[in-house]
Amino acid sequence: MEKIVAVLVVCCSIVGLASAQLKVGFYSSSCPRAESLIRDAVQQRFKMDRSITAALLRMHFHDCFVQGCDASILIHSESGDAEKDAFPNETVRGYDLIDIAKRAVEAACPNTVSCADIITLATRDAVALAGGPKYDIPTGRRDGLMSDIRKVDLPGPQESVAQAFIPFRDRGFTLNEMVTLLGAHSVGVAHCNFFEDRLANFQGSGKPDATMDAGLAARLRKICGTGNNPAVFLDQGTSFVMDNQFYNQILAKRGILEIDQRLARDRSTGPIVAGFALNGTAFQRSFATAMVKLSKTGVLFGKAGEIRKNCRAFNPKRGQRV
Ligand code: HEM
Ligand SMILES: *[C@@H]1O[C@H](CO)[C@@H](O)[C@H](O)[C@H]1NC(C)=O
Ligand SMILES: CC(=O)N[C@H]1CO[C@H](CO)[C@@H](O)[C@@H]1O
């Protein structure tokens, strides 16, 4: 019992300190243009490619859930054993945009703005451009010194709601916040390999997943049948807009991933889904708050970690893995 109390105290004082160190406008004197330079880079990309919002949201989530929001997902490893080499990372995109934003802020203020903050701010900007909420986000994150494929333990699309919730709960998120964050599936795509088990002979039944609209299943069978693992929109309604239509889609049995469909059907999450489906404002507010919370997951601050010069590599002599 005493041991447990001690662990709790340590855990929570670290978390408390971390949020005390992060603050909105952390760079306002050290690099006043940081946020606008990043926003410009995102805006330019968004004009050419609206799918950048989805790319950044997924990158941010994967970064924050593995060793905290410390840009460890960006590290390139010659030996292929960094975070980004893990299976769930295979289709993470947007690394080149982070490099572009980093070059812009390095030119304005060298060695000042962390890659972890760049991912966070770029994601925030891309969400707003896609019609999502606009919100302030605290900065001051430092970049991590480790990126290890063995630390990657992300929820899978075939898990039950209760199973998927475990990693969220362990990081201090509520069920409501998990349902909110999965609203990120309002934009972006999934490749057939993540859901085609639902389209025929689902769980050995000889039939498609009955929780998927039959017309949609038939259409997806055709698309996926082409054999080169194509991708389809996660939100079959408003595929590029960060809104609450995703929740209406899953209520209409039009979820692509099994986990998405389960959110609508599970007794614990169904009412939350129904609430967001009815009230877009409630979703947008909840999404802004949950994204800020996500961005504070396990961050490094103060003198911990480093400010990477190149987001894809540890600074010379510091990192444990190259
Ligand atoms: C239980 C939790 C989650 C599971 C099981 C899950 C699973 C997946 C899977 C399998 C894909 C398809 C990847 C592909 O085919 O390339 C995907 C895409 C995506 N996920 Fe999640 N996800 C979860 C939570 C989240 C969260 C919390 C966010 C962000 C806040 C997020 C954002 C995205 C986005 C934006 C895409 C589309 C990416 C793109 O278009 O490139 N996901 N997710
Ligand atoms: C929608 O949600 C917002 C924010 O939570 C709330 O203020 C508003 O009253 C809700 N609208 C309806 C129609 O329930
Ligand atoms: C973008 C990226 O680095 N993707 C990597 C994900 O992991 C696979 C191996 O599992 C690599 O081949 C990809 O390059």
Side-chain angles (χ1 to χ4, degrees):
M1 189 62 206
E2 269 163 19
K3 224 178 199 165
I4 292 172
V5 171
V7 169
L8 279 177
V9 168
V10 170
C11 111
C12 301
S13 65
I14 292 172
V15 172
L17 266 174
S19 38
Q21 298 286 323
L22 295 182
K23 61 173 190 187
V24 172
F26 181 85
Y27 299 111
S28 58
S29 53
S30 62
C31 190
R33 289 170 61 215
E35 295 206 18
S36 69
L37 288 168
I38 294 165
R39 188 169 53 242
D40 288 350
V42 175
Q43 211 154 14
Q44 264 192 33
R45 174 62 60 90
F46 185 85
K47 271 191 230 151
M48 297 184 293
D49 177 9
R50 286 189 294 165
S51 82
I52 193 64
T53 305
L56 290 171
L57 273 164
R58 186 154 182 254
M59 175 193 285
H60 186 46
F61 168 53
H62 284 207
D63 185 36
C64 295
F65 259 48
V66 183
Q67 296 249 116
C69 314
D70 66 347
S72 48
I73 193 171
L74 302 180
I75 293 293
H76 174 78
S77 150
E78 287 299 334
S79 43
D81 56 1
E83 253 176 68
K84 69 161 57 152
D85 299 305
F87 173 68
N89 278 336
E90 244 174 63
T91 49
V92 171
R93 314 176 280 120
Y95 297 106
D96 59 322
L97 174 62
I98 300 300
D99 290 339
I100 291 170
K102 176 64 169 172
R103 274 200 292 277
V105 291
E106 281 300 301
C109 12
N111 312 314
T112 308
V113 181
S114 69
C115 300
D117 278 340
I118 294 176
I119 299 177
T120 307
L121 291 166
T123 304
R124 183 273 306 264
D125 296 335
V127 164
L129 285 167
K134 297 181 168 64
Y135 48 93
D136 286 332
I137 205 134
T139 43
R141 291 165 196 75
R142 306 267 297 175
D143 296 326
L145 298 174
M146 191 165 68
S147 178
D148 188 341
I149 189 170
R150 291 167 305 184
K151 293 266 157 62
V152 179
D153 180 22
L154 290 155
Q158 278 131 349
E159 289 178 10
S160 67
V161 169
Q163 282 167 333
F165 181 50
I166 295 169
F168 284 88
R169 188 200 59 200
D170 288 350
R171 290 163 181 77
F173 291 93
T174 64
L175 200 56
N176 190 297
E177 286 165 338
M178 179 177 88
V179 174
T180 301
L181 288 172
L182 271 154
H185 289 174
S186 172
V187 291
V189 298
H191 293 79
C192 289
N193 63 307
F194 286 111
F195 61 84
E196 64 192 343
D197 61 307
R198 303 183 67 202
L199 307 180
N201 195 21
F202 179 60
Q203 296 174 346
S205 66
K207 294 185 203 132
D209 184 345
T211 69
M212 182 184 277
D213 174 88
L216 175 63
R219 209 160 56 74
L220 296 177
R221 264 198 306 279
K222 266 195 196 144
I223 295 171
C224 294
T226 60
N228 53 353
N229 197 24
V232 305
F233 290 118
L234 285 161
D235 174 352
Q236 294 275 311
T238 53
S239 309
F240 285 108
V241 189
M242 195 61 238
D243 61 6
N244 67 336
Q245 282 314 304
F246 166 75
Y247 298 101
N248 285 301
Q249 291 290 314
I250 58 179
L251 285 176
K253 301 174 75 174
R254 293 169 66 79
I256 301 297
L257 299 176
E258 205 178 330
I259 183 65
D260 293 347
Q261 194 54 65
R262 283 181 168 175
L263 286 182
R265 297 177 57 84
D266 196 276
R267 278 172 56 193
S268 69
T269 48
I272 307 171
V273 167
F276 288 152
L278 277 174
N279 188 335
T281 310
F283 167 65
Q284 298 260 349
R285 281 191 197 168
S286 190
F287 193 69
T289 310
M291 286 298 289
V292 171
K293 184 162 172 178
L294 176 65
S295 84
K296 293 180 181 172
T297 307
V299 295
L300 301 170
F301 56 89
K303 291 200 169 14
E306 63 182 7
I307 303 294
R308 258 177 238 153
K309 189 81 189 162
N310 166 359
C311 289
R312 297 184 189 235
F314 302 117
N315 291 342
K317 297 201 185 95
R318 292 294 301 278
Q320 296 170 18
R321 281 174 171 272
V322 185

Short mmCIF file of all heavy atoms in Angstrom, two decimals, residues 116-155:
data_model
loop_
_atom_site.label_atom_id
_atom_site.label_comp_id
_atom_site.label_asym_id
_atom_site.label_seq_id
_atom_site.Cartn_x
_atom_site.Cartn_y
_atom_site.Cartn_z
N ALA A 116 9.01 18.27 -31.43
CA ALA A 116 7.78 17.84 -30.74
C ALA A 116 6.74 18.96 -30.78
O ALA A 116 5.55 18.71 -31.01
CB ALA A 116 8.10 17.45 -29.31
N ASP A 117 7.16 20.19 -30.57
CA ASP A 117 6.22 21.32 -30.67
C ASP A 117 5.78 21.54 -32.12
O ASP A 117 4.64 21.94 -32.37
CB ASP A 117 6.85 22.60 -30.11
CG ASP A 117 6.74 22.69 -28.59
OD1 ASP A 117 5.88 22.00 -28.01
OD2 ASP A 117 7.52 23.45 -27.99
N ILE A 118 6.68 21.31 -33.05
CA ILE A 118 6.31 21.51 -34.46
C ILE A 118 5.19 20.53 -34.86
O ILE A 118 4.20 20.93 -35.47
CB ILE A 118 7.53 21.37 -35.39
CG1 ILE A 118 8.51 22.53 -35.11
CG2 ILE A 118 7.10 21.36 -36.87
CD1 ILE A 118 9.82 22.45 -35.90
N ILE A 119 5.31 19.27 -34.47
CA ILE A 119 4.24 18.30 -34.78
C ILE A 119 2.93 18.78 -34.15
O ILE A 119 1.88 18.79 -34.79
CB ILE A 119 4.56 16.89 -34.23
CG1 ILE A 119 5.84 16.31 -34.84
CG2 ILE A 119 3.38 15.95 -34.48
CD1 ILE A 119 6.21 14.93 -34.26
N THR A 120 3.01 19.20 -32.90
CA THR A 120 1.81 19.59 -32.16
C THR A 120 1.14 20.82 -32.79
O THR A 120 -0.07 20.84 -33.02
CB THR A 120 2.19 19.93 -30.70
OG1 THR A 120 2.91 18.83 -30.16
CG2 THR A 120 0.97 20.19 -29.86
N LEU A 121 1.94 21.84 -33.09
CA LEU A 121 1.39 23.07 -33.66
C LEU A 121 0.87 22.84 -35.08
O LEU A 121 -0.19 23.35 -35.46
CB LEU A 121 2.46 24.17 -33.65
CG LEU A 121 2.85 24.70 -32.26
CD1 LEU A 121 4.14 25.51 -32.35
CD2 LEU A 121 1.72 25.53 -31.65
N ALA A 122 1.63 22.07 -35.85
CA ALA A 122 1.21 21.80 -37.24
C ALA A 122 -0.11 21.03 -37.25
O ALA A 122 -1.00 21.31 -38.07
CB ALA A 122 2.30 21.02 -37.97
N THR A 123 -0.26 20.11 -36.32
CA THR A 123 -1.52 19.34 -36.24
C THR A 123 -2.67 20.28 -35.89
O THR A 123 -3.73 20.25 -36.53
CB THR A 123 -1.41 18.23 -35.17
OG1 THR A 123 -0.30 17.39 -35.48
CG2 THR A 123 -2.68 17.40 -35.13
N ARG A 124 -2.44 21.14 -34.90
CA ARG A 124 -3.46 22.11 -34.50
C ARG A 124 -3.90 22.98 -35.69
O ARG A 124 -5.09 23.18 -35.94
CB ARG A 124 -2.90 22.97 -33.36
CG ARG A 124 -3.82 23.99 -32.73
CD ARG A 124 -3.85 25.33 -33.42
NE ARG A 124 -2.57 25.97 -33.61
CZ ARG A 124 -2.03 26.88 -32.79
NH1 ARG A 124 -2.65 27.21 -31.68
NH2 ARG A 124 -0.87 27.44 -33.08
N ASP A 125 -2.92 23.45 -36.47
CA ASP A 125 -3.23 24.31 -37.61
C ASP A 125 -3.98 23.57 -38.71
O ASP A 125 -4.89 24.10 -39.34
CB ASP A 125 -1.93 24.91 -38.18
CG ASP A 125 -1.24 25.82 -37.16
OD1 ASP A 125 -1.92 26.35 -36.27
OD2 ASP A 125 0.00 25.98 -37.27
N ALA A 126 -3.57 22.32 -38.93
CA ALA A 126 -4.21 21.53 -39.98
C ALA A 126 -5.64 21.19 -39.61
O ALA A 126 -6.52 21.12 -40.49
CB ALA A 126 -3.39 20.25 -40.24
N VAL A 127 -5.90 20.98 -38.34
CA VAL A 127 -7.27 20.71 -37.87
C VAL A 127 -8.16 21.92 -38.16
O VAL A 127 -9.27 21.80 -38.68
CB VAL A 127 -7.27 20.34 -36.37
CG1 VAL A 127 -8.67 20.45 -35.76
CG2 VAL A 127 -6.69 18.95 -36.15
N ALA A 128 -7.65 23.11 -37.85
CA ALA A 128 -8.44 24.34 -38.08
C ALA A 128 -8.71 24.53 -39.57
O ALA A 128 -9.83 24.87 -39.97
CB ALA A 128 -7.70 25.55 -37.50
N LEU A 129 -7.69 24.27 -40.41
CA LEU A 129 -7.88 24.44 -41.85
C LEU A 129 -8.94 23.49 -42.41
O LEU A 129 -9.62 23.80 -43.37
CB LEU A 129 -6.55 24.20 -42.59
CG LEU A 129 -5.52 25.33 -42.47
CD1 LEU A 129 -4.15 24.86 -42.95
CD2 LEU A 129 -5.98 26.56 -43.26
N ALA A 130 -9.08 22.33 -41.78
CA ALA A 130 -10.06 21.35 -42.26
C ALA A 130 -11.45 21.59 -41.68
O ALA A 130 -12.34 20.73 -41.81
CB ALA A 130 -9.57 19.94 -41.91
N GLY A 131 -11.63 22.73 -41.02
CA GLY A 131 -12.96 23.05 -40.50
C GLY A 131 -13.15 22.62 -39.06
O GLY A 131 -14.26 22.69 -38.51
N GLY A 132 -12.08 22.14 -38.44
CA GLY A 132 -12.17 21.76 -37.03
C GLY A 132 -12.02 22.96 -36.13
O GLY A 132 -11.92 24.10 -36.60
N PRO A 133 -12.00 22.72 -34.82
CA PRO A 133 -11.91 23.82 -33.87
C PRO A 133 -10.56 24.52 -33.92
O PRO A 133 -9.56 23.93 -34.30
CB PRO A 133 -12.09 23.12 -32.51
CG PRO A 133 -11.65 21.71 -32.75
CD PRO A 133 -12.02 21.41 -34.16
N LYS A 134 -10.58 25.80 -33.55
CA LYS A 134 -9.34 26.57 -33.42
C LYS A 134 -9.04 26.66 -31.93
O LYS A 134 -9.94 26.99 -31.15
CB LYS A 134 -9.53 27.97 -34.00
CG LYS A 134 -9.84 27.98 -35.48
CD LYS A 134 -9.99 29.42 -35.99
CE LYS A 134 -10.01 29.48 -37.51
NZ LYS A 134 -11.18 28.79 -38.10
N TYR A 135 -7.84 26.37 -31.53
CA TYR A 135 -7.53 26.42 -30.11
C TYR A 135 -6.06 26.75 -29.88
O TYR A 135 -5.22 26.52 -30.74
CB TYR A 135 -7.89 25.09 -29.43
CG TYR A 135 -7.37 23.86 -30.16
CD1 TYR A 135 -6.13 23.30 -29.83
CD2 TYR A 135 -8.11 23.27 -31.18
CE1 TYR A 135 -5.66 22.17 -30.49
CE2 TYR A 135 -7.64 22.16 -31.86
CZ TYR A 135 -6.41 21.61 -31.51
OH TYR A 135 -5.95 20.52 -32.18
N ASP A 136 -5.80 27.31 -28.69
CA ASP A 136 -4.42 27.57 -28.28
C ASP A 136 -3.84 26.29 -27.74
O ASP A 136 -4.54 25.50 -27.12
CB ASP A 136 -4.39 28.62 -27.14
CG ASP A 136 -4.69 30.00 -27.66
OD1 ASP A 136 -4.40 30.27 -28.85
OD2 ASP A 136 -5.23 30.82 -26.89
N ILE A 137 -2.55 26.11 -27.98
CA ILE A 137 -1.93 24.91 -27.47
C ILE A 137 -0.64 25.31 -26.75
O ILE A 137 0.12 26.13 -27.25
CB ILE A 137 -1.70 23.90 -28.62
CG1 ILE A 137 -1.63 22.49 -28.09
CG2 ILE A 137 -0.48 24.21 -29.45
CD1 ILE A 137 -2.45 21.52 -28.86
N PRO A 138 -0.45 24.79 -25.52
CA PRO A 138 0.78 25.14 -24.81
C PRO A 138 1.99 24.51 -25.48
O PRO A 138 1.89 23.43 -26.08
CB PRO A 138 0.56 24.57 -23.40
CG PRO A 138 -0.53 23.58 -23.53
CD PRO A 138 -1.33 23.93 -24.73
N THR A 139 3.11 25.20 -25.43
CA THR A 139 4.34 24.71 -26.04
C THR A 139 5.47 24.68 -25.01
O THR A 139 5.27 25.06 -23.86
CB THR A 139 4.73 25.59 -27.25
OG1 THR A 139 4.55 26.96 -26.89
CG2 THR A 139 3.89 25.26 -28.46
N GLY A 140 6.65 24.24 -25.47
CA GLY A 140 7.78 24.09 -24.56
C GLY A 140 8.21 22.64 -24.43
O GLY A 140 9.04 22.30 -23.59
N ARG A 141 7.65 21.77 -25.28
CA ARG A 141 8.07 20.35 -25.31
C ARG A 141 9.52 20.25 -25.76
O ARG A 141 9.98 21.07 -26.57
CB ARG A 141 7.21 19.56 -26.30
CG ARG A 141 5.79 19.37 -25.89
CD ARG A 141 4.90 18.89 -27.05
NE ARG A 141 3.50 19.10 -26.69
CZ ARG A 141 2.93 20.29 -26.68
NH1 ARG A 141 3.58 21.35 -27.09
NH2 ARG A 141 1.68 20.40 -26.28
N ARG A 142 10.21 19.23 -25.28
CA ARG A 142 11.57 18.96 -25.73
C ARG A 142 11.57 17.65 -26.52
O ARG A 142 10.68 16.81 -26.35
CB ARG A 142 12.49 18.84 -24.52
CG ARG A 142 12.41 20.05 -23.60
CD ARG A 142 13.43 21.09 -23.87
NE ARG A 142 14.78 20.59 -23.67
CZ ARG A 142 15.87 21.29 -23.94
NH1 ARG A 142 15.75 22.53 -24.43
NH2 ARG A 142 17.06 20.79 -23.75
N ASP A 143 12.58 17.48 -27.35
CA ASP A 143 12.66 16.27 -28.17
C ASP A 143 13.34 15.14 -27.41
O ASP A 143 14.33 15.34 -26.70
CB ASP A 143 13.45 16.58 -29.45
CG ASP A 143 12.74 17.60 -30.32
OD1 ASP A 143 11.49 17.59 -30.33
OD2 ASP A 143 13.42 18.42 -30.97
N GLY A 144 12.82 13.94 -27.60
CA GLY A 144 13.30 12.77 -26.86
C GLY A 144 14.63 12.25 -27.40
O GLY A 144 15.04 12.56 -28.52
N LEU A 145 15.27 11.44 -26.56
CA LEU A 145 16.59 10.90 -26.90
C LEU A 145 16.54 9.41 -27.22
O LEU A 145 17.57 8.74 -27.29
CB LEU A 145 17.55 11.15 -25.73
CG LEU A 145 17.79 12.63 -25.40
CD1 LEU A 145 18.62 12.78 -24.14
CD2 LEU A 145 18.46 13.34 -26.58
N MET A 146 15.32 8.90 -27.37
CA MET A 146 15.20 7.48 -27.63
C MET A 146 14.03 7.24 -28.58
O MET A 146 13.01 7.92 -28.49
CB MET A 146 14.96 6.75 -26.32
CG MET A 146 15.08 5.27 -26.46
SD MET A 146 15.21 4.43 -24.88
CE MET A 146 13.62 4.68 -24.19
N SER A 147 14.20 6.28 -29.49
CA SER A 147 13.11 5.88 -30.36
C SER A 147 13.28 4.39 -30.59
O SER A 147 14.23 3.97 -31.23
CB SER A 147 13.18 6.65 -31.69
OG SER A 147 12.15 6.23 -32.55
N ASP A 148 12.37 3.61 -30.03
CA ASP A 148 12.59 2.17 -29.98
C ASP A 148 11.35 1.43 -30.48
O ASP A 148 10.26 1.59 -29.92
CB ASP A 148 12.88 1.78 -28.52
CG ASP A 148 13.30 0.33 -28.38
OD1 ASP A 148 13.03 -0.47 -29.30
OD2 ASP A 148 13.90 0.01 -27.34
N ILE A 149 11.52 0.63 -31.50
CA ILE A 149 10.40 -0.11 -32.08
C ILE A 149 9.70 -0.97 -31.01
O ILE A 149 8.49 -1.17 -31.07
CB ILE A 149 10.89 -0.98 -33.27
CG1 ILE A 149 9.71 -1.59 -34.04
CG2 ILE A 149 11.85 -2.07 -32.82
CD1 ILE A 149 10.08 -2.24 -35.34
N ARG A 150 10.44 -1.42 -30.01
CA ARG A 150 9.86 -2.30 -28.99
C ARG A 150 8.91 -1.57 -28.05
O ARG A 150 8.15 -2.18 -27.30
CB ARG A 150 10.98 -2.98 -28.18
CG ARG A 150 11.77 -4.00 -29.00
CD ARG A 150 13.04 -4.39 -28.28
NE ARG A 150 13.82 -3.19 -27.96
CZ ARG A 150 15.01 -3.23 -27.39
NH1 ARG A 150 15.56 -4.39 -27.07
NH2 ARG A 150 15.67 -2.11 -27.14
N LYS A 151 8.93 -0.24 -28.08
CA LYS A 151 8.05 0.54 -27.20
C LYS A 151 6.69 0.82 -27.85
O LYS A 151 5.80 1.39 -27.24
CB LYS A 151 8.71 1.88 -26.85
CG LYS A 151 9.96 1.72 -25.99
CD LYS A 151 9.59 1.85 -24.53
CE LYS A 151 10.57 1.19 -23.57
NZ LYS A 151 11.90 1.69 -23.56
N VAL A 152 6.57 0.41 -29.12
CA VAL A 152 5.33 0.74 -29.83
C VAL A 152 4.23 -0.25 -29.46
O VAL A 152 4.34 -1.44 -29.74
CB VAL A 152 5.54 0.74 -31.35
CG1 VAL A 152 4.23 1.06 -32.07
CG2 VAL A 152 6.61 1.76 -31.74
N ASP A 153 3.22 0.23 -28.77
CA ASP A 153 2.14 -0.62 -28.32
C ASP A 153 0.84 0.17 -28.49
O ASP A 153 0.33 0.75 -27.54
CB ASP A 153 2.39 -1.02 -26.85
CG ASP A 153 1.30 -1.92 -26.34
OD1 ASP A 153 0.61 -2.56 -27.16
OD2 ASP A 153 1.10 -1.97 -25.11
N LEU A 154 0.37 0.25 -29.71
CA LEU A 154 -0.81 1.05 -30.02
C LEU A 154 -2.02 0.13 -30.14
O LEU A 154 -1.88 -1.04 -30.49
CB LEU A 154 -0.59 1.79 -31.33
CG LEU A 154 0.45 2.92 -31.26
CD1 LEU A 154 1.06 3.20 -32.61
CD2 LEU A 154 -0.19 4.17 -30.67
N PRO A 155 -3.22 0.66 -29.84
CA PRO A 155 -4.41 -0.18 -29.98
C PRO A 155 -4.62 -0.59 -31.44
O PRO A 155 -4.25 0.14 -32.36
CB PRO A 155 -5.55 0.71 -29.49
CG PRO A 155 -5.02 2.10 -29.44
CD PRO A 155 -3.53 2.01 -29.36
#
